[in-house]
Structure formats: structure tokens, C-alpha cells
């Protein structure tokens, strides 16, 4: 599916420069020293990344045309990039933003909107502060747009690269929900329902203040709930307020209240924790392991118990087939808390089943799993047709790295017990599966070995930043000073770098780094 991005803004605000830099691999040095000709009309470009992206570069000289009789250009847009010269009179910027937000609501309500105050390098520290104060005081309705400050000058380059990466990540993932789906979305949806239940009526600013979610994410949540008629809104003057419909009130009782801790019902906590241990954000730290001991069975068994606590397999109705614990009471020990010492493990498949039902009702397309992260536990769920595999691991363990191994493990189990699984769906008889527990424990150890090998080959955030820095240096090469064939290679490397960073494809990044080093040497020697 082709995704649509629209660049819109006044003349000479930097729309075409940003497009040429990050979609075509042009050099920032050349763009700064050889200004582009003004865009005429609506120039449409198609770029092949992970999927096709259609970019509409709208002429700034004809801005009134796009804001007036030809608003159809914004139909079916996925991302709007309002690009503004940071030195422009703020009242003019504010007026354009207000006009564009109205067009977004009328023409492409599901589109994500970004406001880029570009050429920020031209502002003094004092003027930059004035701009931020103006935004804070005079753009209360910009809450559904993410605001960034950008420049392609060297000292601002990495920050601008990160902004573009965020936008590309958004457009490439729009309507494609990854596996595992992060539990925070469900948690935020439940938190939104809970807040509206308590507040009765609230505007966007009040919800933003009470919920710890990104403004863009909150707008998406509101759209999802409105689409299912769980949420209603009314305009009072220039303000829009939201409140639960009768269906939303019922759904709150059915989905949210059922899984809340008692303390969450009584207290005014922002986000519910459901009937799980703490799901506070966790900072993952690297843990020590010795790859030289990977052939030592005792060492592998020890690491396996530290990383994988166990699994549950349940059917589509939340009925439990089998519980496999990697050690005595491994799951009970990790799931029990001071608030809930007798945690009922059968609540887990019931809760996960409710999650899948919830995802279907709010139309989260492609939802096949989710991930819950806490201080002591990482819960990862994957759905296989009529059955669900839920894995409980250490926070240090990322099942996504070895997702295929978990899939293969379940496939072997389902083939072995094909007839018994069909019988379970009819009778609920789980007895035949219990003898397979030792086989699962062996699988855990194989997965642990694969995970440690994969982890050893992966890079940390510091290394990722070094790749971005390498991209910046690559961009510093003056394309106008090299041959046509070399210019083509450099542009291609830059575009591949962007996609590899987005995909966190470390193999490709390492390979590109070596080629860039060789290419840089060739440029120097020539």
C-alpha cells in the first residue's frame, strides 16, 4: 500500500530541501550552497522504501490555492508536514497552522500532522526562546500536531535526522501493527476510558495533562474510540470536549474495570495496572554472560532459568491448555506481589483473550501479539489461529530477537498434538498435553543459546548513534565534486542507511559502514 506524505508551507521554508536531503540522498552541503529553484504547482514523487511512499511537494508560491479551492490534494493523506521558516512572523505561522488543522479535520482526519520550524540555526538563543514561548501560549490547538525544530546545518544535523527518522517510522508503520504489539497502547486506551469515566467531560488539553501519552498517540486513541462509537464529542465555541457514550460506559465496565486492581478503582491513578505486577517503564540494562561457556549444559540451564520463567498456552476463549514453569513455582513467584500474593495464573489467558477481542473491536489491523514490560518481568504473547502462546521472561530477555524459534516451538507442539488440540476445543480436556512439558524445557534452553548468540551480535544505543554520526559524515561529502557514478553510489548508501537505521538492521549497517569507509578512502585518494 502506497503511503502519502504532503509537504505544505510558505515559499522558501525548506520543503523541497528536506525532501531532497532525506528521500533522494542529496548532500546538505550542496543544498545549502546551491539553493533549489522554487517548486511550481504540485510536484509528486514516488519513493521505494520498505513500501512505496508518495510525496506531494506543494508550491509555497501557490499556498492560497492549496488552502482554498484545491484542498482535495490533502485527501487520503497519511502524514502532513507543515514546514515553516523559523524566522517568519509568528502570527503568520499561527494562522497557517490553524488553517491546516481545519483542513486536516475535514479532508484527512486520520492523518498525522507534524509542524517543522525549519532553519532554526538562523535564530539567536533569545529568539529561539521567544518562539517556544509563543508556541506554548498561542498554539493551544496545535496539540494534535507534533512540533519540531530543524536545520540541515552541521550542528543541528543529527537532531534533524532523528526527527525525519521518527516521521518515516510513523509513515511506514501506519496501519501496520507490529508483532509484538506494545501493551502500552492498550494501557493508554484503558487509561483514557478510565479518565473520561472519572472526569465525565474533558477537552484535549485536560486529557493530555492527566495521561502520560504523546499528543499524537492521544489523538489516535480518540479517533479509535470515536470510530467505535465509544466516545462522543461536542464543540463549545473554539473548544472540543469528549465524553463516553452509553456504549463506552458499558465497555468500560466490560473491559477496563474487570481487570483493574482494587486500588485503581479507589484512587485517582493516571493509568491502570490491571491484574499484573508493576508495568512501570523499565530501563533495560545489559546483563553479564559468558559466550565461551555456551557449550556447558549447567551454565546454559542456569542462564535459561534467569531469562525464561515459563509459558502458557491457551485457546481463543482464554482456557488454559498447559503451564510450563522453568523451575519450581517460577511463574507464581514472579507474578505474585505484595498487593496480590495469591495471583491466579488462569487470569492471564483470560486477560489476553480480552486483549485480542479489544483489538478487533477497535480495529487494530494485523494485531497478532503484544508485549507487557515491568520491573521484574516481560510478558510476550503470540497468537496462532485459535491458540495463544504467552511467554514470561526476565526484562533482560527480548523474545522478538528469537521470535522464529518460539514459532517453531509451537509448530512442533501443534503438529504432535493435532488431534488432541481439536478435542480440547470441544471438551476442554488438557490431560494429554502435560507429558510434553520436558520437551518444552529443552526448547527453552535451545532458545536461550540462540538468544545469547544473537545478543552478542547486536549493538547498543551508543553504537546506533555512531551509525547516525557516520551518516552525517557521509552527508558532508560534496556530491557536486565527485563523478556521476560515485554520486549515485553515495546517494544509494545514504538511502539504505536511513532504512537500515529504521529497521535496526545491524547486519546491513555494518556492511554499509565498511563500504562507506572504502568509498571515503577512494574519494580521498582521488
Amino acid at each position: 500500500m502506497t503511503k502519502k506524505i504532503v509537504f505544505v508551507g510558505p515559499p522558501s521554508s525548506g520543503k523541497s530541501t528536506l525532501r531532497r536531503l532525506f528521500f533522494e540522498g542529496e548532500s546538505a552541503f550542496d543544498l545549502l550552497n546551491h539553493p533549489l529553484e522554487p517548486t511550481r504547482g504540485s510536484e509528486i514523487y514516488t519513493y521505494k522504501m520498505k513500501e512505496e511512499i508518495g510525496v506531494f511537494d506543494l508550491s509555497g508560491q501557490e499556498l492560497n490555492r492549496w488552502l482554498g479551492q484545491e484542498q482535495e490534494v490533502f485527501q487520503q493523506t497519511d502524514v502532513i508536514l507543515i514546514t515553516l521558516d523559523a524566522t517568519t512572523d509568528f502570527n503568520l505561522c499561527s494562522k497557517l497552522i490553524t488553517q491546516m488543522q481545519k483542513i486536516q479535520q475535514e479532508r484527512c482526519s486520520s492523518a498525522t500532522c507534524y509542524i517543522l520550524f525549519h532553519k532554526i540555526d538562523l535564530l539567536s538563543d533569545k529568539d529561539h526562546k521567544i518562539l517556544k514561548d509563543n508556541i506554548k501560549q498561542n498554539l493551544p490547538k496545535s496539540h494534535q500536531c507534533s512540533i519540531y525544530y530543524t536545520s540541515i546545518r552541521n550542528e543541528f544535523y543529527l537532531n534533524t535526522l532523528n526527527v525525519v527518522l521518527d516521521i518515516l517510522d510513523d509513515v511506514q508503520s501506519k496501519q501496520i501493527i507490529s508483532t509484538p504489539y506494545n501493551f502500552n497502547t492498550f494501557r493508554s486506551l484503558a487509561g483514557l476510558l478510565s479518565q473520561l469515566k472519572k472526569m465525565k467531560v474533558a477537552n484535549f488539553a485536560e486529557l493530555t495533562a492527566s495521561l502520560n501519552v504523546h499528543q499524537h498517540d492521544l489523538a489516535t486513541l480518540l479517533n479509535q474510540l470515536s470510530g467505535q462509537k465509544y466516545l462522543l464529542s461536542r464543540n463549545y465555541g473554539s473548544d472540543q470536549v469528549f465524553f463516553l457514550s452509553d456504549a463506552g460506559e458499558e465497555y468500560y465496565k466490560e473491559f477496563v474495570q474487570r481487570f483493574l486492581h482494587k486500588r485503581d478503582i479507589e484512587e485517582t491513578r493516571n493509568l491502570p495496572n490491571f491484574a499484573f505486577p508493576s508495568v512501570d517503564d523499565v530501563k533495560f540494562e545489559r546483563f553479564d554472560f559468558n559466550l565461551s561457556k555456551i557449550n556447558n549444559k549447567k551454565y546454559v540451564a542456569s542462564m535459561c532459568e534467569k531469562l525464561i520463567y515459563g509459558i502458557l498456552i491457551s485457546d481463543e476463549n482464554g482456557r488454559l491448555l498447559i503451564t510450563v514453569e522453568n523451575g519450581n513455582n517460577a511463574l507464581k513467584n514472579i507474578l505474585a506481589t505484595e498487593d496480590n500474593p495469591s495471583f491466579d495464573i488462569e487470569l492471564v489467558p483470560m486477560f489476553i483473550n480480552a486483549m485480542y477481542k479489544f483489538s478487533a473491536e477497535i480495529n487494530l489491523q494485523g494485531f497478532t501479539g503484544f508485549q507487557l514490560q515491568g520491573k521484574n518481568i516481560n510478558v510476550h504473547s503470540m497468537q496462532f489461529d485459535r491458540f495463544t502462546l504467552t511467554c514470561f521472561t526476565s526484562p533482560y530477555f527480548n523474545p522478538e530477537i528469537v521470535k522464529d524459534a518460539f514459532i517453531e516451538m509451537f509448530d512442533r507442539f501443534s503438529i504432535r498434538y493435532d488431534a488432541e488440540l481439536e478435542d480440547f476445543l470441544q471438551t476442554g480436556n488438557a490431560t494429554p498435553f502435560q507429558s510434553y512439558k520436558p520437551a518444552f524445557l529443552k526448547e527453552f534452553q535451545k532458545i536461550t543459546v540462540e538468544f545469547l548468540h544473537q545478543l552478542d551480535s547486536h549493538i547498543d544505543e551508543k553504537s546506533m548513534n555512531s551509525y547516525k554520526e557516520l551518516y552525517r559524515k557521509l552527508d558532508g561529502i560534496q556530491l557536486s565534486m565527485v563523478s556521476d557514478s560515485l554520486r549515485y553510489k553515495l546517494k544509494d548508501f545514504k538511502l539504505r542507511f536511513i532504512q537500515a537505521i529504521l529497521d535496526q538492521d545491524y547486519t546491513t549497517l555494518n556492511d554499509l559502514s565498511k563500504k562507506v569507509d572504502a568509498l571515503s578512502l577512494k574519494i580521498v585518494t582521488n
Side-chain angles (χ1 to χ4, degrees):
M1 179 187 297
T2 302
K3 300 300 176 64
K4 180 179 177 181
I5 297 178
V6 175
F7 279 91
V8 62
S12 303
S13 57
K15 302 180 295 298
S16 298
T17 296
L18 289 170
R19 174 183 60 77
R20 294 280 297 275
L21 181 64
F22 292 108
F23 286 97
E24 296 182 5
E26 291 288 352
S27 160
F29 180 92
D30 290 337
L31 290 168
L32 285 167
N33 290 277
H34 305 285
L36 300 172
E37 290 293 322
T39 301
R40 302 297 180 187
S42 170
E43 297 185 359
I44 305 172
Y45 304 86
T46 300
Y47 301 105
K48 184 67 177 177
M49 300 186 76
K50 182 179 288 187
E51 54 191 316
E52 281 195 348
I53 296 178
V55 176
F56 287 61
D57 191 349
L58 305 185
S59 167
Q61 281 82 358
E62 300 172 74
L63 183 59
N64 289 334
R65 173 183 166 191
W66 317 122
L67 300 178
Q69 70 271 26
E70 294 195 28
Q71 294 181 11
E72 290 80 7
V73 73
F74 296 102
Q75 298 279 24
Q76 298 181 320
T77 295
D78 294 289
V79 172
I80 298 174
L81 295 175
I82 305 173
T83 310
L84 304 164
D85 186 330
T87 64
T88 302
D89 179 80
F90 184 78
N91 290 328
L92 295 177
C93 294
S94 177
K95 181 180 178 181
L96 173 58
I97 291 168
T98 301
Q99 289 174 296
M100 278 306 308
Q101 287 183 323
K102 186 174 184 294
I103 291 172
Q104 178 195 10
Q105 292 170 4
E106 294 175 353
R107 299 287 183 176
C108 49
S109 59
S110 63
T112 305
C113 178
Y114 294 91
I115 301 171
L116 306 181
F117 282 94
H118 192 50
K119 305 181 184 180
I120 200 69
D121 58 287
L122 299 179
L123 294 183
S124 65
D125 291 343
K126 179 181 177 181
D127 289 335
H128 194 176
K129 183 179 185 305
I130 291 173
L131 174 60
K132 287 186 174 182
D133 289 342
N134 276 328
I135 290 171
K136 184 177 181 179
Q137 296 169 15
N138 302 309
L139 289 182
K141 295 186 70 176
S142 68
H143 47 243
Q144 296 195 43
C145 295
S146 297
I147 298 175
Y148 293 106
Y149 306 96
T150 60
S151 169
I152 63 172
R153 291 283 180 186
N154 190 56
E155 62 268 32
F156 299 94
Y157 190 88
L158 285 180
N159 177 67
T160 302
L161 173 61
N162 285 327
V163 170
V164 173
L165 289 171
D166 284 346
I167 294 170
L168 290 176
D169 186 58
D170 175 37
V171 74
Q172 290 192 132
S173 63
K174 204 172 184 68
Q175 296 181 347
I176 301 177
I177 307 301
S178 63
T179 302
Y181 191 78
N182 196 299
F183 178 77
N184 283 339
T185 295
F186 291 104
R187 188 166 170 241
S188 298
L189 277 166
L192 175 56
L193 287 167
S194 182
Q195 283 299 318
L196 286 171
K197 175 72 174 175
K198 295 172 185 174
M199 300 170 72
K200 304 300 182 185
V201 176
N203 61 26
F204 195 98
E206 289 169 335
L207 290 172
T208 301
S210 63
L211 292 168
N212 187 26
V213 294
H214 193 280
Q215 292 173 349
H216 159 58
D217 294 334
L218 178 56
T220 301
L221 300 177
L222 290 170
N223 285 335
Q224 289 171 338
L225 293 176
S226 296
Q228 292 303 311
K229 310 300 183 185
Y230 294 144
L231 194 69
L232 300 175
S233 65
R234 295 286 185 272
N235 290 324
Y236 290 95
S238 61
D239 205 9
Q240 183 181 24
V241 298
F242 303 91
F243 53 95
L244 292 179
S245 64
D246 290 342
E249 293 273 0
E250 286 300 313
Y251 200 77
Y252 172 82
K253 295 176 184 177
E254 170 69 20
F255 174 72
V256 181
Q257 204 166 32
R258 182 181 177 191
F259 293 101
L260 284 176
H261 280 302
K262 290 182 179 179
R263 66 169 184 264
D264 290 309
I265 299 174
E266 298 165 358
E267 299 177 10
T268 57
R269 298 170 62 88
N270 285 348
L271 296 176
N273 273 338
F274 298 102
F276 277 102
S278 171
V279 289
D280 296 328
D281 290 336
V282 60
K283 292 183 179 179
F284 292 97
E285 300 175 359
R286 187 179 181 87
F287 70 101
D288 294 326
F289 64 95
N290 189 342
L291 211 58
S292 66
K293 297 182 180 180
I294 206 70
N295 294 319
N296 185 310
K297 291 183 178 180
K298 287 185 178 180
Y299 179 76
V300 170
S302 173
M303 293 302 297
C304 183
E305 286 190 8
K306 291 178 181 178
L307 293 173
I308 303 176
Y309 303 141
I311 63 168
L312 305 178
I313 298 178
S314 55
D315 71 359
E316 57 193 346
N317 295 313
R319 293 184 302 176
L320 197 58
L321 280 79
I322 187 171
T323 302
V324 184
E325 297 184 86
N326 195 10
N328 292 331
N329 296 319
L331 292 181
K332 181 179 178 180
N333 292 337
I334 201 66
L335 290 170
T337 66
E338 291 182 6
D339 295 315
N340 196 4
S342 57
F343 184 84
D344 185 357
I345 203 166
E346 293 199 8
L347 271 178
V348 176
M350 290 171 59
F351 176 75
I352 290 170
N353 180 61
M355 284 292 192
Y356 287 116
K357 179 182 176 184
F358 187 41
S359 69
E361 292 193 14
I362 63 170
N363 195 29
L364 285 178
Q365 300 177 15
F367 175 79
T368 56
F370 79 91
Q371 183 171 336
L372 177 156
Q373 294 174 349
K375 291 180 178 177
N376 302 309
I377 192 170
N378 185 358
V379 183
H380 180 104
S381 169
M382 290 180 281
Q383 194 174 38
F384 301 89
D385 192 15
R386 294 170 295 175
F387 299 95
T388 301
L389 170 68
T390 304
C391 180
F392 300 83
T393 73
S394 158
Y396 299 117
F397 186 88
N398 180 5
E400 182 69 7
I401 295 178
V402 286
K403 181 175 65 178
D404 289 343
F406 278 103
I407 293 172
E408 291 169 5
M409 179 181 75
F410 180 82
D411 285 345
R412 283 189 283 270
F413 170 74
S414 61
I415 291 170
R416 166 67 177 79
Y417 289 101
D418 183 52
E420 290 85 349
L421 288 170
E422 289 296 327
D423 181 65
F424 176 84
L425 293 173
Q426 301 298 320
T427 66
N429 179 21
T431 303
F433 311 120
Q434 309 313 309
S435 61
Y436 200 77
K437 288 183 179 181
F440 274 125
L441 293 174
K442 290 181 179 180
E443 295 272 12
F444 292 171
Q445 294 193 13
K446 292 179 182 178
I447 291 172
T448 297
V449 171
E450 182 177 344
F451 173 76
L452 294 178
H453 277 298
Q454 291 285 342
L455 192 65
D456 188 63
S457 65
H458 276 54
I459 62 172
D460 55 20
E461 184 64 26
K462 184 177 179 181
S463 298
M464 179 59 80
N465 288 335
S466 71
Y467 283 120
K468 292 178 182 178
E469 178 65 25
L470 182 60
Y471 177 91
R472 185 187 66 79
K473 291 178 179 178
L474 181 63
D475 182 78
I477 298 173
Q478 300 177 40
L479 296 181
S480 58
M481 303 296 290
V482 300
S483 66
D484 289 343
S485 60
L486 204 52
R487 185 183 306 122
Y488 175 81
K489 284 184 179 180
L490 285 166
K491 286 183 177 182
D492 179 60
F493 282 170
K494 288 179 66 180
L495 296 176
R496 289 168 64 190
F497 247 111
I498 288 277
Q499 190 61 61
I501 291 172
L502 285 169
D503 294 341
Q504 295 189 20
D505 183 348
Y506 309 121
T507 302
T508 299
L509 285 169
N510 283 325
D511 181 56
L512 285 171
S513 297
K514 294 174 183 177
K515 290 181 178 179
V516 168
D517 288 339
L519 200 59
S520 299
L521 180 62
K522 182 177 180 181
I523 293 171
V524 171
T525 54
N526 286 345

